Amino acid sequence: MRQLHRLTAAAGFLALVAVVQADTILRQSSFDLSRAEDPTYFQNWKTQVEGIGTDAEGLTSAQLYFPVQKANLGRTSTTSSQDWSAYNILAVKLTNRESFPCEFRALVYLTASPNDGANMFSGKIVIGPNETRRFLCYLNPDDAMPYGLEYMRPVLSAAYNNVYSSGRFRDLRTIYHWRFSYQGTAPARVDVSDLRLIKQDITFQGMVDKFGQYNDRDWSSRIRTEDDLQVHKAAEQTDLAENPGMGEQLGTDKVANDNPQPGKWAIVTQNNGRKYFQHPNGKLLWALGVSAIHGGTPTPVGGRENYFQEIPSTSGRFASCFYIRPTLDGNNTCYSFHQQNLISKYGENYMPTWTNLVKDRMSSWGLNMLGIQCLGQFYDNTIPHTQLLTTQNFPTRLRVPQQLWGSFPDPYDPSFQSWMATNFAAGLARYNNQTNFVGVYVDNELSWGNTFSDKARYNVELGTLKAPATQPAKIAFVNWLSTRYRGSIAALNTAWGTSFSSFNDILVGAFQPTIFPERMALDFKLWTRLFAGTYYGAVRGALTQAGLSGLYLGSRYADWLPEVVEPADNYVDVHSFNFYRTAGYVNWNYFALRKKPFMFSEFGHSVQADGTFGGPGEVYSQDERAFNMQRTLGVALNFNNCVGAILYCYTDQPVTGRYTDYENSGLGLVDIADTPHYETVNAIRSVARTMYTTRG
């Protein structure tokens, strides 16, 4: 089992803790910023100290002027060191006095040599114009997974930005050199305060209240009593009445369809080059949807009862909220606080009322498509929807070194396409006759690899080479190599820098290269193309055999490679990408070159503020999330090849982790108490009201 037994063992000790601090700090040590000019305390380079004062919180503040790039605040010494081993976080608060963003690098070296960057910490810090932010640099991050969490509870009650660096565990006993190095070219004035070393206290006593909310922060919409749920319910009815639906869930009348293909879902291209989904009614639709609408995912409670201030009785009013579920640590008792709050808010028979409310919300918010993982009653043909088919049960699997969710189906197994056709026909039976069935994704976030490293890029090849000699993909790979090198193992050895005695050596061996000569790298990329083309071609063939009435929406890439996406161009109707990043980090130009359009099949930002712990695409306030989502959607709408974005997800994940994989991200459009995050909701409304006039 994973380490859930640690949680049980800790419960008795934690029960002795009477007071929980809002900041989860075990120990800390502050740097004396009043000595910012003292060369025996800080050894700054080029930085000028213009004054020492206090910030808005009454903390000592050094007012600094960084006249040149790489001017810094910090310490450097080749003869004496500082012992930071009692801490794992370097924290700082910065106030930017300029009208432009300022970038710093937080740098911590582990040796006496200022030129030895082995396993050093190097983290990027960006602070916006006239902005104040805290940053926590995780020199040695604590692993949250043994405690049933993907993301650790917040260190501070105040909002802050997490800063990470690649590398393994760092020995912090001898720190000779560290600094905050200014990266801009224009001179800048930035104030520094609250500079300290922190060790986080990773205890969790009473951190969740009886509504499933995080207990060590406060925010305006937090629920204190059941009466608050009714207050929010009434306020929302007023909001929905003031913001009626836009009437565009089945397409728009604002843009005429230049090239209609009525009677079916299709991708159409306007005369101006803009691509759209086309509803069977002939109207154009740019997808703006949401995934995972359900009554809330249970969180494990067994063995960690101390996390919660109150868990209801298993035989009382909320008995239906308890489940036994398979977790990463085995079967466990789980509880759904979201379901509990729905019962409190809408009554024991909450489902019909809540289902209708969700549909009203979608209309009012301007959402026109359902993504995957929604309750079945939402797929009732009233709203356009997408579905997921999977090959995870296909028996012939290929394991690769870096697996996101599991192994690959082996597309070279001769039964692959026929197996899919049979299974897909059953999966499509309910939806194929629905007018609002848009189409299907097949598989989710397959482990294709990425371009971050050679090992990641050649993930498929390394898995294939390590596979047994009976693996269909390996047999096909070796046969392809033999054909490519005209049966000459000597020619392959020359190209690869290897010493195989025959092609059979490759088949029966488990070759795992650590360097990738140019010709080997080329062969691997070519094979990835063939592998991907074989996979996507078989899927397309199976969908046709199964009678798919909608569109083939791709495979929801999380990691991807050009040599995977480009062969898929020949088979998918739409490429689907799961994207958690801001507009500036999207390779729009790459997508523009695709033969087929693309959509964001998952899109969003996790909030590390208020009652949530952050996650993918992390932002640090609800306002910041709303700004980033609106900006990214605005760029997407002006991009010819983009046909939509599906937000993930409808409800914030429980802060104590969903039972399936312990994800606890703050990605939802509503919180654990079913209260909308109106900053984001209003940003989506703003996009929806103008998206067709914007896109044209």
Side-chain angles (χ1 to χ4, degrees), residues 8 18 26 40 84 111 138 221 243 259 271 384 423 428 467 490 495 531:
T8 307
L26 181 64
T40 67
W84 290 8
T111 69
Y138 287 81
S221 60
N243 295 278
N259 300 290
N271 294 341
N423 285 270
L428 292 170
F531 186 100

Side-chain angles (χ1 to χ4, degrees), residues 510-558:
F511 177 53
Q512 293 290 283
T514 55
I515 58 173
F516 303 88
E518 183 178 351
R519 285 292 300 278
M520 180 191 291
L522 176 61
D523 289 345
F524 282 8
K525 290 173 187 174
L526 289 173
W527 177 252
T528 299
R529 287 180 179 274
L530 290 170
F531 186 100
T534 301
Y535 167 81
Y536 284 106
V539 172
R540 180 89 237 188
L543 290 171
T544 300
Q545 288 177 255
L548 173 66
S549 64
L551 302 171
Y552 177 22
L553 304 173
S555 57
R556 298 168 51 86
Y557 298 112

Side-chain angles (χ1 to χ4, degrees), residues 629-641:
M629 291 179 75
Q630 195 165 2
R631 178 171 175 241
T632 302
L633 288 169
V635 175
L637 278 164
N638 280 291
F639 217 79
N640 285 358
N641 227 28

Side-chain angles (χ1 to χ4, degrees), residues 333-538:
T333 300
C334 300
Y335 187 77
S336 175
F337 284 98
H338 186 219
Q339 183 178 340
Q340 167 200 298
N341 293 329
L342 292 177
I343 292 171
S344 296
K345 195 170 183 179
Y346 306 113
E348 301 293 329
N349 185 27
Y350 68 87
M351 188 60 74
T353 300
W354 175 72
T355 300
N356 289 331
L357 173 63
V358 171
K359 290 182 178 181
D360 289 344
R361 285 172 171 172
M362 289 189 67
S363 176
S364 172
W365 299 352
L367 299 174
N368 60 19
M369 193 172 290
L370 291 165
I372 66 169
Q373 298 176 342
C374 298
L375 288 177
Q377 51 262 49
F378 291 104
Y379 299 131
D380 62 356
N381 203 32
T382 58
I383 303 171
H385 64 91
T386 60
Q387 296 296 325
L388 175 67
L389 299 175
T390 177
T391 64
Q392 65 183 5
N393 292 326
F394 180 65
T396 307
R397 314 300 298 176
L398 176 67
R399 297 187 61 82
V400 292
Q402 298 184 29
Q403 296 188 156
L404 292 175
W405 294 106
S407 55
F408 267 104
D410 189 330
Y412 289 91
D413 185 304
S415 67
F416 183 50
Q417 183 169 322
S418 61
W419 181 93
M420 286 189 291
T422 299
N423 285 270
F424 290 176
L428 292 170
R430 175 184 171 187
Y431 307 112
N432 260 338
N433 62 352
Q434 291 187 346
T435 307
N436 283 318
F437 171 46
V438 180
V440 294
Y441 314 99
V442 176
D443 289 328
N444 176 57
E445 299 187 341
L446 292 170
S447 304
W448 292 112
N450 55 57
T451 58
F452 299 156
S453 69
D454 286 341
K455 287 187 69 175
R457 184 159 201 161
Y458 308 130
N459 200 34
V460 170
E461 285 70 32
L462 292 174
T464 302
L465 287 166
K466 196 173 184 178
T470 55
Q471 185 83 40
K474 190 172 189 180
I475 294 169
F477 185 33
V478 173
N479 288 340
W480 177 78
L481 288 172
S482 179
T483 301
R484 179 164 170 76
Y485 286 94
R486 299 175 183 265
S488 172
I489 195 65
L492 180 142
N493 284 331
T494 299
W496 285 19
T498 51
S499 57
F500 297 114
S501 61
S502 67
F503 286 100
N504 193 59
D505 274 2
I506 304 174
L507 182 64
V508 300
F511 177 53
Q512 293 290 283
T514 55
I515 58 173
F516 303 88
E518 183 178 351
R519 285 292 300 278
M520 180 191 291
L522 176 61
D523 289 345
F524 282 8
K525 290 173 187 174
L526 289 173
W527 177 252
T528 299
R529 287 180 179 274
L530 290 170
F531 186 100
T534 301
Y535 167 81
Y536 284 106

Side-chain angles (χ1 to χ4, degrees), residues 3-23:
Q3 287 189 42
L4 200 60
H5 61 277
R6 289 175 53 182
L7 311 180
T8 307
F13 169 76
L14 294 174
L16 301 176
V17 180
V19 179
V20 177
Q21 298 295 322
D23 290 345

